[in-house]
Amino acid sequence: MIENPQIAIIGSGPSGIYTAQFLLKKIPDCKIDILERLPTLYGLVQYGVAPDHQSAKAITRQFDRLFENKSVHFFGGVEVGNAIHLEELKKLYDIVIIASGLYGDRRLGIQGENLPGVLPSGRLTRWLNGYPNEELKPLLVGPHLVIIGNGNVAIDVARLMAKTDQDLINSTMDLTRHALLGGGKVKTIDIIGRGLPEGCKSDPLILRELANIPYVHLTVEGNLTPDNEDSFPQIVKNRLKVLREINNMGKPNAPCQISIRFQLKPIEIIGDNSVKAVIFHDQNKNIREISASAVVTAIGFCDAPDTVISRDRFRIKNEGELSYNLGENLYSVGWFRKGPTGTISENRVDAKEVVEIIFRDLEQSLKNKAKEKKGLASEELEKLLKARRVHWFDFEQKEEMSPNKSQNTLC
Amino acid sequence: MHKLPHVITLNQENQLMKIFILYGTETGNSELFAEDVQAALKDQHEVTLVDMQNATLDMLSPENDLTIIIISTYGEGEYPTNAQAFVKIIQDKQPDLHGCRIAFFGLGDTFYTGHYNVCVKTLQKLLTGLGAEQIGPCGLHDASSGQMIDELMQPWLDAVFSDLKKQ
Ligand SMILES: Cc1cc2nc3c(=O)[nH]c(=O)nc-3n(C[C@H](O)[C@H](O)[C@H](O)COP(=O)(O)OP(=O)(O)OC[C@H]3O[C@@H](n4cnc5c(N)ncnc54)[C@H](O)[C@@H]3O)c2cc1C
Ligand SMILES: Cc1cc2nc3c(=O)[nH]c(=O)nc-3n(C[C@H](O)[C@H](O)[C@H](O)COP(=O)(O)O)c2cc1C
């Protein structure tokens, strides 16, 4: 085994942080530098996880502890591929791990998608989470919101747009931005999925949470008692059960009406200067039009247009997942490796695995060839960044860099 | 900077106590807390930290001076993935746990109404039902409380060890 292996991790989201934690346990003498394009830490925990789910964000306390370890350094505001190239990192470090997630919104690829009033969910949730450089044109969502997609992100968006400011006081929601969008004033929300109810991806817990908002009435349209229900896995049965339970819970006069609809395929978004309606095909290819003052697309994530580390570049044909080892001393983990689905804890499982593989490979590399001793990679990196006039933030500066996270209060 | 609490001194016939810490975790909080407990005890006692995935029934033996169980709740009242197999073994084998001393600490969230910390509570019932003796109060952390988990450690450990001393 190489002594004091020097490791660079690209990205400080859950997968990068968990990987660093496990590396320190498995290879206690390793040195880890975490490079992050944003000045702030923890990726989607900060800018994806809903601002009214404070306890889910509390994981940051665990993550903070990592940086008490003197072997770990944070380089915030350093975008790999921009400030420093991947190839350069691979030369500087014994091991380089890509944990950069996927933050591009997948597009529908239909007409009208570029109309004002169509908001991709990734950008919207970043914006509501107070993300500093998200250029979302503030516009009123208006009375009729259509959300395309029915995964957890879609349900998060529905809840956040339904909730009034009063109910968000104890959250880290950017209330100014929420008000600019007209959050809490939406009259109808249609949550649309292409598939059948049994294929619905959202977590029963957050479906219930949505239905339980006192001023929301929720209905579910579609066959919630399929004939072959008995043959479904337990998790699917549970979800159908919850969909039945939350359907029509008896608040028909509630000011916010939410409909979950299935088997509708979006064909076109229509409107002149802004969105007016969405046209769908139902299962029989009949046209169905749902009027909309705004549309949120929540159909998943992919390489962002401005990405500098393209996941697609590493993909082999149509394989969904990348390998842990991407050749030579380059590895991948988390959403970047697996694709953009799964909870925080699933990245923990992935991080454990990549560390096992790195450990094995490091042992192997000793048998093959002892790498020549290099200088301290951190110092080399700092020298390089200084020469390029790249300003970076260390962990101690994170408070001053994070967006204003003071508790919300309503006057 | 995180500070470790002062170390608990306990002389039981001048012997090192044999302590097992078993943790069940989904997102890593329980593991970190278990590591903190280990760090607080390891200078004075013979402490073994075990991922529940690797736990065996002899870790619940009366031969040990104390077994500490630290476990979170997930899903809607579900055991963390790494704890499920071990809990199943206990349920299936129903071992006799008389003479076995166990302290419990649960991590949960009152946000999950009706399922708050159910894992530690059901495990506590299961193990005491099999004859184990509970040492100290069952510690509980609520993620919605905003309280740091490690702040709860010292008072809870103090209560556990004073209970143990009484025996
Ligand atoms: C809207 C939304 C809500 C979610 N809510 C929940 C929830 O409530 N509970 C839950 O368990 N999971 C939730 N998830 C899923 C969870 O966020 C992911 O599982 C997890 O964040 C993925 O971790 P990651 O580290 O792979 O990616 P990320 O969290 O995206 O982290 C990647 C990091 O890499 C950085 N980066 C990217 N490119 C570069 C580069 N070139 N150089 C340097 N740094 C770079 C990014 O800035 C980012 O900080 C949600 C996801 C979304 C999108
Ligand atoms: C998806 C999810 C489901 C949860 N379900 C419960 C629950 O049913 N009951 C509870 O008390 N806590 C629940 N929690 C809270 C966790 O137990 C709490 O965050 C704990 O600190 C996690 O500890 P761990 O990291 O060791 O798993 C849940 C958390 C998440 C993210």
Side-chain angles (χ1 to χ4, degrees):
Chain A
M1 176 82 93
I2 307 170
E3 262 176 52
N4 304 109
Q6 309 199 58
I7 302 174
I9 298 177
I10 304 167
S12 69
S15 58
I17 300 296
Y18 282 134
T19 301
Q21 288 180 349
F22 286 122
L23 278 169
L24 288 170
K25 282 179 199 172
K26 193 84 191 174
I27 314 169
D29 71 338
C30 72
K31 296 252 175 298
I32 302 172
D33 291 342
I34 300 178
L35 291 78
E36 167 59 58
R37 67 192 275 266
L38 300 173
T40 52
L41 287 132
Y42 310 141
L44 285 171
V45 175
Q46 182 93 270
Y47 295 122
V49 173
D52 61 340
H53 281 176
Q54 279 312 299
S55 49
K57 287 185 188 267
I59 190 99
T60 58
R61 302 217 181 106
Q62 179 202 133
F63 290 174
D64 281 346
R65 291 275 302 274
L66 173 73
F67 296 92
E68 289 175 11
N69 194 308
K70 292 279 166 281
S71 302
V72 181
H73 288 106
F74 180 62
F75 290 84
V78 177
E79 184 167 45
V80 176
N82 206 346
I84 180 161
H85 290 286
L86 197 53
E87 290 306 317
E88 293 176 305
L89 276 188
K90 282 168 64 184
K91 289 207 186 81
L92 278 181
Y93 290 84
D94 296 307
I95 300 281
V96 176
I97 305 164
I98 306 179
S100 55
L102 277 175
Y103 60 92
D105 280 286
R106 243 190 79 204
R107 292 174 57 86
L108 286 165
I110 61 172
Q111 259 206 350
E113 198 169 2
N114 295 326
L115 277 172
V118 181
L119 307 168
S121 62
R123 290 179 59 194
L124 178 64
T125 47
R126 276 199 290 278
W127 206 68
L128 292 173
N129 269 303
Y131 187 84
N133 12 329
E134 189 55 64
E135 288 159 23
L136 193 78
K137 279 217 189 78
L139 87 168
L140 276 177
V141 160
H144 304 296
L145 175 62
V146 170
I147 301 173
I148 300 179
N150 58 17
N152 287 342
V153 176
I155 308 297
D156 274 352
V157 168
R159 188 184 66 254
L160 293 173
M161 292 316 294
K163 271 194 179 177
T164 60
D165 286 0
Q166 196 67 43
D167 275 354
L168 292 164
I169 292 179
N170 292 322
S171 77
T172 47
M173 169 76 88
D174 188 321
L175 285 181
T176 315
R177 291 179 173 186
H178 188 246
L180 278 171
L181 285 172
K185 299 200 173 102
V186 187
K187 293 202 167 71
T188 67
I189 302 178
D190 285 271
I191 303 169
I192 313 269
R194 284 176 63 155
L196 290 157
E198 52 265 41
C200 178
K201 295 262 156 47
S202 41
D203 189 328
L205 273 170
I206 64 166
L207 283 171
R208 277 216 199 96
E209 189 186 356
L210 181 65
N212 285 332
I213 300 175
Y215 40 90
V216 161
H217 178 65
L218 192 149
T219 50
V220 187
E221 181 191 281
N223 181 9
L224 303 181
T225 47
D227 296 337
N228 52 344
E229 186 172 344
D230 283 346
S231 65
F232 293 145
Q234 194 55 42
I235 178 161
V236 176
K237 285 187 205 158
N238 283 350
R239 197 172 295 122
L240 282 171
K241 183 170 156 269
V242 171
L243 283 171
R244 288 193 292 263
E245 279 168 14
I246 62 174
N247 180 23
N248 220 336
M249 294 200 322
K251 296 175 279 182
N253 299 321
C256 180
Q257 301 282 324
I258 300 185
S259 314
I260 301 182
R261 305 180 199 276
F262 295 97
Q263 287 186 286
L264 292 174
K265 181 180 175 217
I267 302 299
E268 188 185 348
I269 301 172
I270 52 173
D272 304 323
N273 299 319
S274 70
V275 175
K276 293 238 158 43
V278 189
I279 311 285
F280 297 91
H281 270 165
D282 70 9
Q283 66 267 41
N284 303 319
K285 288 255 166 105
N286 293 324
I287 297 283
R288 175 131 172 216
E289 184 177 322
I290 298 179
S291 59
S293 48
V295 175
V296 171
T297 58
I299 54 162
F301 301 93
C302 60
D303 272 343
D306 66 342
T307 197
V308 274
I309 310 179
S310 161
R311 178 173 193 268
D312 288 338
R313 202 187 98 192
F314 293 102
R315 273 174 71 174
I316 303 163
K317 285 262 163 62
N318 291 325
E319 295 276 320
E321 297 195 349
L322 305 182
S323 316
Y324 286 101
N325 181 260
L326 299 175
E328 301 170 21
N329 57 346
L330 188 64
Y331 295 80
S332 71
V333 69
W335 269 28
F336 187 86
R337 190 194 77 75
K338 292 183 299 171
T341 54
T343 58
I344 293 170
S345 65
E346 286 167 57
N347 299 294
R348 189 171 188 268
V349 177
D350 211 46
K352 201 168 194 172
E353 187 60 30
V354 79
V355 168
E356 289 297 327
I357 289 166
I358 289 170
F359 181 78
R360 248 181 284 153
D361 291 354
L362 278 172
E363 275 187 328
Q364 205 65 33
S365 72
L366 174 76
K367 280 184 213 137
N368 297 340
K369 52 169 183 167
K371 263 203 177 176
E372 77 225 58
K373 203 73 214 130
K374 290 187 284 191
L376 207 56
S378 292
E379 285 172 10
E380 294 297 318
L381 176 64
E382 289 189 10
K383 259 191 237 160
L384 242 160
L385 294 176
K386 273 185 192 146
R388 291 175 190 175
R389 297 178 196 282
V390 176
H391 182 65
W392 72 91
F393 305 92
D394 61 26
F395 183 77
E396 263 62 49
Q397 289 165 296
K398 81 176 169 97
E399 291 304 330
E400 58 192 90
M401 286 321 301
S402 73
N404 192 2
K405 278 274 145 54
S406 61
Q407 276 297 353
N408 282 319
T409 41
L410 273 188
C411 310
Chain B
M1 179 57 91
H2 174 76
K3 276 193 235 75
L4 286 177
H6 71 85
V7 167
I8 294 148
T9 327
L10 186 95
N11 298 322
Q12 208 186 24
E13 295 139 23
N14 279 337
Q15 275 183 337
L16 275 185
M17 288 217 300
K18 205 170 155 195
I19 300 176
F20 276 94
I21 304 173
L22 272 50
Y23 63 85
T25 189
E26 193 73 35
T27 62
N29 291 335
S30 303
E31 179 167 348
L32 187 61
F33 185 73
E35 285 167 4
D36 286 348
V37 172
Q38 180 194 33
L41 301 177
K42 70 165 196 272
D43 289 345
Q44 301 289 312
H45 309 295
E46 188 194 323
V47 188
T48 315
L49 185 66
V50 188
D51 183 332
M52 271 203 193
Q53 198 153 315
N54 309 320
T56 48
L57 283 179
D58 58 316
M59 293 169 187
L60 299 176
S61 144
E63 309 265 294
N64 310 324
D65 294 287
L66 180 66
T67 301
I68 297 176
I69 291 183
I70 297 168
I71 191 166
S72 67
T73 301
Y74 225 67
E76 287 179 283
E78 280 149 45
Y79 286 103
T81 317
N82 76 324
Q84 284 169 7
F86 186 56
V87 174
K88 179 119 200 333
I89 291 177
I90 300 170
Q91 283 164 341
D92 290 350
K93 298 235 161 105
Q94 299 274 321
D96 178 7
L97 297 181
H98 283 92
C100 170
R101 289 165 293 269
I102 309 181
F104 297 89
F105 193 101
L107 284 82
D109 189 343
T110 45
F111 175 79
Y112 300 92
T113 330
H115 304 281
Y116 176 55
N117 257 315
V118 296
C119 285
V120 75
K121 289 175 195 164
T122 38
L123 206 52
Q124 181 188 0
K125 272 205 204 94
L126 175 66
L127 299 181
T128 51
L130 292 168
E133 179 184 358
Q134 184 184 334
I135 304 295
C138 176
L140 293 177
H141 179 260
D142 172 13
S144 282
S145 69
Q147 195 166 26
M148 305 285 278
I149 305 172
D150 32 334
E151 280 171 21
L152 300 180
M153 176 165 78
Q154 197 56 53
W156 172 69
L157 276 181
D158 286 345
V160 166
F161 278 82
S162 79
D163 195 7
L164 200 59
K165 242 185 230 170
K166 278 187 215 140
Q167 322 222 334

